[in-house]
Amino acid sequence: MSYPETDMAFFTLSATPATAKREGYFTSTTMALMSQLGERRIVEAKSVDGLKPLILSFGRDTALQHPGKSFKIMVTVNRGSRKPRGFDAAYDSEALGTSEWLETTVADPVPHEGMAGVASWGRRYTPFRMDGAEPREASLTEAERLSDDGHLGFKGWAAEVAAILDTIGAPATALGSETRDALVSRYRAHQHPALAAAVLTASSMAEHLAA
């Protein structure tokens, strides 16, 4: 959603250490409100659309200075500034990217076909992780890190699916049988990697037989 510009406003950004836990359909966040990572940053913007990239830039810089830390970005409208139209809705819905570095764990990971459940689905800048395991190696290129194309959680999920396909001896083309958009849809639907691998294998075999 795009919002019209208003008068220039000043904001203070700060990174608060935080973690989140998802139980069913509900997610609770625990924040260390009396502490922060690094220095605050004052930015100015005329609109919500102009503010978001400044928040993401601050988050990326904070993450580089504090690798592996889980945090949430707090945004304060400085005294004397007028909030841009749509600010409250965008901030409350996390549409400004304030939670992209917040690690969210699943309270009760659900196993599938003998495989461990998913402990964390990841976010744009936080990794996907299976229960009881370290995240599979996945990283963002510099271009992905600075654009909307990169998503570390999705890349980790895709790497897990690829590893399962390799383990079960699925055709090398199985992962490429679907478009990236289709795979992203499976990830966003929180489809367990083992289930995704089984579906992709069946689809690849069906295409081979039909050829």
Side-chain angles (χ1 to χ4, degrees):
M1 179 179 293
S2 180
Y3 297 95
E5 292 188 353
T6 183
D7 295 334
M8 187 68 76
F10 290 85
F11 306 84
T12 297
L13 311 181
S14 59
T16 300
T19 57
K21 180 170 289 187
R22 186 167 65 84
E23 299 185 62
Y25 295 104
F26 301 96
T27 300
S28 58
T29 302
T30 301
M31 304 177 65
L33 294 175
M34 300 303 292
S35 61
Q36 66 179 46
L37 297 176
E39 299 294 326
R40 293 182 173 89
R41 180 180 297 178
I42 296 177
V43 298
E44 54 181 322
K46 288 185 177 181
S47 67
V48 166
D49 294 335
L51 177 61
K52 182 174 181 178
L54 300 177
I55 291 174
L56 293 178
S57 177
F58 173 71
R60 286 192 289 263
D61 290 344
T62 301
L64 286 174
Q65 296 167 9
H66 304 275
K69 294 293 185 180
S70 175
F71 61 90
K72 185 177 176 66
I73 298 174
M74 310 300 290
V75 183
T76 303
V77 182
N78 289 11
R79 181 175 298 179
S81 290
R82 183 179 178 181
K83 287 186 291 188
R85 186 185 301 275
F87 171 80
D88 288 334
Y91 187 48
D92 293 343
S93 67
E94 300 183 347
L96 291 175
T98 53
S99 294
E100 295 295 349
W101 289 268
L102 177 67
E103 183 180 11
T104 302
T105 57
V106 179
D108 298 301
V110 180
H112 180 81
E113 298 294 332
M115 280 195 65
V118 175
S120 178
W121 288 93
R123 289 179 183 260
R124 182 174 177 181
Y125 297 110
T126 60
F128 172 91
R129 180 169 59 83
M130 299 295 291
D131 190 31
E134 292 296 316
R136 287 196 179 274
E137 185 173 350
S139 60
L140 299 178
T141 64
E142 184 67 9
E144 288 175 329
R145 193 173 66 84
L146 297 174
S147 72
D148 291 333
D149 296 331
H151 195 293
L152 190 58
F154 168 70
K155 291 188 78 170
W157 175 86
E160 188 68 35
V161 173
I164 295 172
L165 290 170
D166 183 62
T167 299
I168 63 178
T173 58
L175 191 59
S177 63
E178 284 198 357
T179 64
R180 186 182 189 280
D181 286 346
L183 290 172
V184 168
S185 294
R186 292 186 183 280
Y187 166 75
R188 287 178 174 169
H190 287 182
Q191 189 172 87
H192 191 286
L195 175 57
V199 172
L200 292 172
T201 299
S203 176
S204 179
M205 292 179 64
E207 289 181 1
H208 178 72
L209 292 174

